[in-house]
Amino acid sequence: MSSEHLAVNIVRRIGDPPRLRGSYSNESCPDLFELSDGNFAVIGTEATAALDPHLPPDAARAEHERIVVITRDTLIRAKRDIPDV
């Protein structure tokens, strides 16, 4: 991770906490967070090896980037907290 990311803090959760989405253990806790630099962080299931070969031709992934999967419910519940442009 680059040094500019080390000074970034989590500002708030986007969407409902995992417990409100039915996760009562540490087995499946996808989550979304807004960061102090305006970016977003995602906790999800690492799926780079499985999905990278299936990316559309106009999509690219840098070596340091990973593809993660979050549940549909996680993203739908987060929608209300994602700012409009």
Side-chain angles (χ1 to χ4, degrees), residues 43-60:
I43 297 174
T45 302
E46 210 287 331
T48 305
L51 294 176
D52 196 55
H54 304 288
L55 288 173
D58 60 346

Side-chain angles (χ1 to χ4, degrees), residues 1-7:
M1 179 177 283
S2 62
S3 60
E4 70 259 13
H5 290 307
L6 296 177

